[in-house]
Structures are given as structure tokens and as C-alpha cells.
């Protein structure tokens, strides 16, 4: 199968998805014929003429397409994981939709930048609710001439009106200085907020129904709050949390720690650019014959019991590289302007061999991540075969975030951190994996290393104290989160 042939195979799965998932995450009936019509491999964005109205119309069309795609993608995980009859055989259609959506998002950002260049608007990135959105405001840095009210001279020859307009400084065409902005505002925050409210209402209805059932059969007389979580030395008793499913068991041993760096936080919009992983045994000796040392970027890191270290670098499309990403460059030191596919970097979502190699490692033993739902969500939409393997129970995930939250006495609630400071940086420092003079590096391999060292130190302390997995609420076995298995 060629690199692009899998898109056709993905579209071949549409009848399975249509039968199992008639509506998207917002309750709208999905037009599967529209999905079938999309050119997922070569792009679903709109390339406009370089005129203000064309740029406006293209942005409006791309926003509408992105909203439709993302509402479908958002529902796919639930539909796939609750397909107990296994009618949907593959997760490649959501991966193909996410692939197209990433390029569409690049096109949207390019249009936003083009509009700024042509002084059609000013873009600010603002946190609203659950996400950060692009907010467009009128450009106010130029004033039209007397004879050209409402017109912006893009020739670069007269007045201050065209100053700084690098996109069209050699043109003698006059464009309107303003375009309508109300219909091209990013609606992502409002969509996510409305979706969250619907889920909240559904949970409320379910709890009300469960309570009514409990009153009817008197089952509420026993354990109304469920199993109690084990407290810590400070007297703080964290409430049970859905993340507790990712806690390790008392028999956990060989694991693979993994951390990824990305161009953003949305696996349907952004790209994986750095993957680091290594192995460590939590109980048994380090395997004989493995190299004794490994050179991390931080010279003060010692390999210790870690082995099998690997660092993988990936690229971004030229459109993404051209815009740069100052936030990620500051956080990780990775400048995507030098990571273009044209510079020889392979894109992870276009590299089947890299995906297959990573999947093979993820299924060999439990994998560990800090806030593992992040890695899991990216693997679902980027790694061929991951969703299928996870649903079949071939993947087990352990998360050090709930270890910190539930079992670390230092993770006490404060006004700044109502659930305790459970960042990887704070957890690693409390567990002696990172000294106070240094901070989390935000590179995949280095972060994987301090996470595993912290986990091993923490488990040893918990075992000595008969707490955590060895406490009254701990469990035998490897623990962690997996699907499709009977324990």
C-alpha cells in the first residue's frame, strides 16, 4: 500500500462508521456523503485569491469545515470504544480526518497571518474557557485618503496607509480597508463550552437516576461514596478520581516511560515533533548486557537503572514551519522553522514505519507517562493500529500524575494548587529525581527519565511504608489502565 493509499482505505470504512455513529459530538446528524467527498490526502482548505473579500470568504469556509470535521473526530473515540460488537474494524478514518484537519488548521493560520499582513484585522490569541482562540479585531493603524474613503492603497507608493504591508507592497491594486469580522471569529471556545454543559447535564441525569434506583432498593445504605482513597502523612485524603484507574499495582516491574513534545495541545490540529522513551525495571535488576551509560542533554542526569533510551525528532509541513511557533520554541528549544519537511524532517503522521516501531514498543510492556491521557489522545489520532490495540487490551497505561496526587504527602492542596502541585517538575523534585536548582527540560527523553526515576523512588518508599499499592486500597498485579481484559 502506497503512502497515500490508506486514505482510500479509510474512506472505505465509512459505512461501518455511518451505521454506528449517526451523530457527531454536538448532536448533529453527520453527512457521511460530505465526508466521502473530502480530499483527505491533498487538503480540504480553501486557497483564495489575494483580495480582502476572498481571504475573508476562505477563512469563513475553512472555519466551517474545521467545525464539522472536529465535531466528527470528537465523537469517534466514544463510538469506537463502545462498539462492543466490534462492527467498526479500524480507527484509520478518524486518523485520516485528523490528518486533514491539521493541514486545514495550518491553512487557517496562514489566512489569519495573510489578513494581518494586508491590514484587514489584528489577531490576538486569548484564553477563553477551555481553550485558546484567535480573536480578530479591526486594524486601526491606517487611515484612508480623502478620495479613497474605505480603500487601502497597496502600491506602497503613497501615504502611510500602506506602511508595513509587506504582502502586497508591489501591487497597484486598491482594496477595502475593512472586511466583516463578526462571521469569521473562532467559535471553538463556545463549541467546547456547550459540549461540556451537555455532558454535565447528562452526568447529572445519570446520578439522579442512580440515586433514585438506590433509594428504591436500599443499596444506598452501603458505601454511598465508593471505596475510600488512602490518605497520606499530612492527613490529606484525596477523593477518588477517574485517573486512579491508571495507578500501578504492587507487582509492576518492567515499564517503558514515554513523553512527547508537540506544536500545541490538540492532536487534531497540531503535530508531534519530539518523542523520547526509555525502559526501567521497578523491581527486578537492570538487564545484563545493556550499555551502562547514556548521555542525556543534561549532564547532571545519570542513566542509573534506565536502559534502551531513544530520542526521535519529527517535522512539520512547510506552511506550519513558515509561521513559526514562539511558545514551543521557548518551552522546548525546538524551533519549527527549522523542522520543515522541505528541510528533510519526516512528519510523524506520514511515517508508517515510525508509527509501527513505536506501537511495537507500546505493546511490549506497560507504558508510563505523566498525565498519560495526553499521550494516549495523540497516539489514538497519530499511530496506526494504536486504537485497535488499546481496545483489544494489548496496551496497558500507567500514569505518574495520580501517583503524585493520591500517594505523595507533598502534594497538599493550596490556594494556588487546589489539588496539590502535581506537575512532573514538582513530583520529580519531591521524589529526588530532580534537584531544586534545575527544572523540567520539556524534551521527551529527559522528561521520561526523571519521571521513571521518580516513580521508582516513590514505589520503593511506598512499599517500605506499606502504602500505595501495598496499602489497603492497593491492588495486585501490574495495575494501570487497559481495556478488553478480565482481571
Amino acid at each position: 500500500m502506497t503512502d497515500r493509499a490508506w486514505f482510500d482505505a479509510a474512506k472505505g470504512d465509512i459505512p461501518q462508521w455511518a451505521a454506528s455513529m449517526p451523530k457527531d459530538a454536538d448532536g448533529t446528524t453527520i453527512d457521511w456523503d460530505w465526508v466521502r467527498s473530502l480530499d483527505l490526502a491533498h487538503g480540504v482548505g480553501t486557497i483564495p485569491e489575494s483580495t480582502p473579500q476572498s481571504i475573508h470568504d476562505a477563512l469563513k469556509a475553512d472555519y466551517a469545515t474545521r467545525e464539522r470535521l472536529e465535531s466528527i473526530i470528537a465523537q469517534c473515540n466514544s463510538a469506537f470504544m463502545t462498539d462492543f460488537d466490534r462492527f467498526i474494524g479500524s480507527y484509520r478514518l478518524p486518523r485520516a480526518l485528523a490528518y486533514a484537519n491539521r493541514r486545514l488548521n495550518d491553512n487557517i493560520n496562514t489566512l489569519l497571518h495573510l489578513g494581518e499582513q494586508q491590514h484587514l484585522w489584528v489577531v490576538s490569541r486569548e484564553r477563553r474557557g477551555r481553550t485558546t482562540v484567535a480573536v480578530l479585531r479591526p486594524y486601526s493603524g491606517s487611515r484612508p485618503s480623502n478620495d479613497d474613503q474605505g480603500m487601502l492603497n497597496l502600491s506602497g507608493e503613497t501615504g502611510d496607509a500602506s506602511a508595513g504591508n509587506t504582502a502586497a507592497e508591489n501591487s497597484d491594486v486598491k482594496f477595502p480597508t475593512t472586511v466583516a469580522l463578526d462571521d469569521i471569529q473562532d467559535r471553538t471556545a463556545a463549541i467546547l463550552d456547550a459540549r461540556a454543559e451537555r455532558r454535565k447535564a447528562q452526568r447529572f441525569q445519570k446520578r439522579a437516576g442512580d440515586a433514585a434506583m438506590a433509594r428504591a432498593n436500599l443499596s444506598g445504605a452501603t458505601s454511598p461514596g465508593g471505596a475510600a482513597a488512602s490518605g497520606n502523612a499530612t492527613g490529606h485524603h484525596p477523593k477518588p478520581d477517574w485517573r486512579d484507574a491508571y495507578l500501578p499495582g504492587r507487582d509492576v516491574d518492567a515499564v517503558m516511560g514515554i513523553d512527547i513534545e508537540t506544536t500545541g495541545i490538540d492532536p487534531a490540529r497540531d503535530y508531534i515533533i519530539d518523542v523520547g522513551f526509555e525502559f526501567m525495571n521497578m523491581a527486578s535488576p537492570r538487564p545484563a548486557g545493556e550499555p551502562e551509560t547514556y548521555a542525556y542533554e543534561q549532564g547532571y542526569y545519570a542513566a542509573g537503572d534506565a536502559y534502551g533510551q531513544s530520542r526521535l525528532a519529527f517535522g512539520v509541513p512547510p506552511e506550519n514551519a513558515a509561521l513559526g511557533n514562539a511558545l514551543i520554541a521557548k518551552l522546548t528549544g525546538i524551533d519549527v522553522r527549522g523542522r520543515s519537511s522541505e528541510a528533510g524532517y519526516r512528519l510523524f503522521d506520514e511515517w508508517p514505519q515510525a508509527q509501527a516501531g513505536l506501537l511495537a514498543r507500546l505493546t511490549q510492556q506497560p507504558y508510563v507517562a505523566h498525565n498519560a491521557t495526553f499521550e494516549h489522545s495523540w497516539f489514538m489520532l497519530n499511530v496506526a493500529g494504536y486504537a485497535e490495540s488499546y481496545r483489544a487490551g494489548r496496551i496497558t497505561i500507567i500514569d505518574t500524575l495520580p501517583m503524585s496526587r493520591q500517594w505523595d504527602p507533598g502534594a497538599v492542596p493550596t490556594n494556588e494548587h487546589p489539588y496539590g502541585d502535581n506537575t512532573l517538575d514538582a513530583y520529580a523534585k519531591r521524589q529526588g529525581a530532580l534537584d531544586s536548582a534545575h527544572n523540567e527540560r520539556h524534551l521527551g527523553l529527559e522528561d521520561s527519565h526523571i519521571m521513571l526515576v521518580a516513580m521508582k523512588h516513590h514505589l520503593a518508599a511506598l512499599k517500605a511504608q506499606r502504602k500505595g499499592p501495598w496499602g489497603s486500597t492497593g491492588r495486585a498485579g501490574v495495575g494501570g489502565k487497559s481495556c478488553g481484559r478480565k482481571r
Side-chain angles (χ1 to χ4, degrees), residues 229-238 406-407 467-468:
S230 55
N232 57 37
T234 66
H236 169 54
H237 295 264
Q406 297 287 7
W407 295 339
K467 294 181 178 179

Side-chain angles (χ1 to χ4, degrees), residues 33 48 63 88 95 150 205 235 258 299 334 383 404 406 416 426 433 459 461 477 481:
D33 288 334
Y63 271 150
I88 304 173
R95 287 194 298 107
Q205 291 176 346
I258 189 166
I334 300 173
V383 179
S404 173
Q406 297 287 7
E416 185 179 2
L459 286 175
K481 179 77 163 59

Side-chain angles (χ1 to χ4, degrees), residues 286-305:
R286 186 175 183 275
E290 292 287 343
E292 294 295 326
T293 60
Y294 183 87
Y296 298 91
E297 184 183 277
Q298 277 61 36
Y300 51 86
Y301 280 11
D305 295 331

